[in-house]
Amino acid sequence: METSAAPRAAVPRTTAGFAYSFPGIRGVQAGREYYISMCPLRLIPKIFIFDEDDLSPEMRAQRVLNKGRLPALTRYILDNPDDYVFSALTASVDGDMSFDAHATEGAGMRTGQLHIPMDARFLINDGQHRRAAIEQALKENPDLGDETIAVVFFHDSGLARSQQMFADLNRHAVRPARSIGVLYDHRDEEAITARRIAARSSVFKGYVEMEKSNLSARSRKMFTLSALYYGTQALLQGLDLEPEAAANLAQSYWEAIDKTLPEWGMVRRRELSASEMRRDFIHSHGIALHALGRIGNTLFRESTAKPQWTKKISSLKKIDWSRSNTDWEGRAIVGGRVSKSHQNVTLTVNYLRHHIGLSLSPEEQRVEDAYLRGDA
């Protein structure tokens, strides 16, 4: 991006007569012109502002910045300088915009230079967290400043229009299912491990739903990839293992667990349908995989030698996993439905620890005491 009548990086104290010049493409939506350009990352924090946080919601055109999201977004950029991907920012411009097309007819009418006065006000309609993360990342790695991000510019038609744009841009936004996120993530070693186990373990091969994070009543799958991911993540948490060694250890653990749960094998042998298992047993749900993962993590911290931990988990055979077992109410089941809340996972872990002779951590004991008092 260049500025006319001023040095490239200078932003003078008085901006009258000075303008930003963006190479751009002109388009039309709903009868309104808009423009798409590329903006160097170093200028993003300087020209794009947030709506004021101290205004009441009805006077703002954006939600308040959630600063808790910024560290992860910033690390994403910094840790993946060769292949990070950010989608376009969308901004309204409160000021005059002029477009000098390359030609008066044909395709050249749509390409040219977009000129925006430096005293114009830029308001982000979509992408405020990306903008803030870019600002933080530039502080640690200024070399990112010459890279670019796409920006879509609209004329600012007032607060009501800006608020409507925010509502419209987010109206149909749907977060992808966690399972497909795990399936497509090639950076996260835990996601890679979960996919390896799903593909090669005799327990899971052919019985893991790879895209959806919820199983339909008629699904022939036993588990979702996201459930296997979270269970395996809990299993391997804090263990310093090479990726292949981690996958092998996790696979051995789940195959040993399989021997304590006869219904899993019955589904694979088609003696029991997956839907019947989900209907009648707790161990077919994600909360069970997560809880079993935490149990395994404790055993692995004591010893990763198979004879030691397999002896412990053999006690799981004594557990009544059927939903008719009233012990599950309040732990894994709330109001007749399986609950995956953090508290319910912990209460399920506590139940398993008790049955195989493992002590509770202070936090687990606190949750257990509250449950026994009837506070949970």
Side-chain angles (χ1 to χ4, degrees):
M1 188 195 77
E2 297 180 355
T3 59
S4 59
R8 179 184 176 106
V11 180
R13 202 178 283 272
T14 301
T15 59
F18 293 84
Y20 293 108
S21 181
F22 299 87
I25 301 173
R26 175 169 52 187
V28 177
Q29 279 187 5
R32 294 183 175 92
E33 283 193 355
Y34 70 99
Y35 310 94
I36 302 171
S37 185
M38 301 296 141
C39 185
L41 296 189
R42 60 185 168 78
L43 288 184
I44 294 297
K46 297 178 181 178
I47 64 176
F48 293 102
I49 65 172
F50 295 134
D51 211 355
E52 292 80 359
D53 290 350
D54 56 351
L55 292 177
S56 62
E58 60 271 20
M59 295 303 295
R60 280 190 271 111
Q62 257 286 13
R63 57 189 148 192
V64 174
L65 188 72
N66 180 357
K67 295 181 180 178
R69 291 180 56 190
L70 298 185
L73 276 172
T74 303
R75 290 312 323 166
Y76 167 68
I77 303 171
L78 294 171
D79 293 346
N80 302 283
D82 296 326
D83 61 354
Y84 72 92
V85 178
F86 266 180
S87 56
L89 305 178
T90 301
S92 294
V93 179
D94 184 7
D96 294 330
M97 290 193 290
S98 62
F99 187 75
D100 292 335
H102 289 147
T104 57
E105 58 184 18
M109 293 178 60
R110 298 187 178 276
T111 63
Q113 292 292 123
L114 174 65
H115 305 289
I116 304 176
M118 282 189 172
D119 56 2
R121 185 170 179 264
F122 296 79
L123 175 66
I124 291 183
N125 301 109
D126 184 59
Q128 62 168 341
H129 291 91
R130 275 164 276 157
R131 178 254 182 230
I134 288 169
E135 181 177 17
Q136 293 298 317
L138 287 170
K139 291 177 181 177
E140 294 192 42
N141 185 3
D143 291 341
L144 293 168
D146 290 328
E147 299 196 0
T148 59
I149 188 170
V151 182
V152 182
F153 295 100
F154 289 89
H155 280 286
D156 190 333
S157 301
L159 177 63
R161 173 61 182 164
S162 291
Q163 290 177 334
Q164 188 63 58
M165 286 176 64
F166 176 82
D168 289 347
L169 287 166
N170 290 278
R171 183 184 306 275
H172 302 295
V174 177
R175 187 179 179 88
R178 184 58 183 140
S179 284
I180 201 167
V182 173
L183 180 64
Y184 291 164
D185 194 336
H186 297 276
R187 290 194 186 97
D188 184 354
E189 287 293 343
E190 292 167 337
I192 294 170
T193 295
R195 292 199 302 271
R196 284 176 176 168
I197 295 170
R200 70 191 190 190
S201 172
S202 59
V203 175
F204 300 109
K205 188 174 182 179
Y207 289 91
V208 174
E209 169 54 59
M210 305 298 281
E211 293 189 55
K212 301 174 184 176
S213 292
N214 291 291
L215 295 174
S216 66
R218 296 188 167 206
S219 175
R220 296 173 60 186
K221 305 296 185 181
M222 292 168 58
F223 306 102
T224 63
L225 183 58
S226 59
L228 180 58
Y229 170 84
Y230 287 120
T232 303
Q233 182 184 59
L235 177 66
L236 299 174
Q237 184 175 12
L239 301 181
D240 187 16
L241 298 171
E242 292 297 320
E244 187 62 25
N248 289 338
L249 181 61
Q251 182 174 335
S252 295
Y253 179 76
W254 292 123
E255 289 174 357
I257 288 292
D258 178 61
K259 293 184 173 116
T260 73
L261 304 172
E263 291 80 17
W264 287 13
M266 290 173 66
V267 171
R268 294 194 303 274
R269 294 190 300 272
R270 302 192 178 182
E271 298 168 3
L272 178 71
S273 72
S275 59
E276 289 172 331
M277 183 177 72
R278 287 192 297 276
R279 181 193 65 198
D280 297 336
F281 295 92
I282 294 297
H283 59 53
S284 63
H285 293 266
I287 188 174
L289 289 186
H290 196 159
L292 288 167
R294 283 175 55 175
I295 293 295
N297 184 258
T298 298
L299 298 177
F300 287 166
R301 288 177 182 276
E302 294 176 358
S303 173
T304 55
K306 194 169 184 178
Q308 277 73 23
W309 55 260
T310 51
K311 183 177 180 181
K312 279 282 189 182
I313 65 172
S314 63
S315 301
L316 293 172
K317 294 178 181 177
K318 304 174 186 176
I319 292 177
D320 180 3
W321 289 93
S322 64
R323 292 180 66 148
S324 60
N325 177 7
T326 56
D327 289 348
W328 296 120
E329 182 59 43
R331 291 187 183 273
I333 298 176
V334 177
R337 298 176 64 88
V338 175
S339 170
K340 295 185 287 187
S341 73
H342 176 75
Q343 177 175 280
N344 289 112
V345 171
T346 297
L347 288 169
T348 302
V349 170
N350 294 352
Y351 187 77
L352 301 183
R353 289 196 190 286
H354 172 73
H355 278 78
I356 65 177
L358 294 176
S359 59
L360 306 185
S361 70
E363 174 60 19
E364 289 169 344
Q365 189 63 60
R366 183 194 67 77
V367 173
E368 186 70 16
D369 292 342
Y371 170 74
L372 294 175
R373 290 195 306 268
D375 297 340

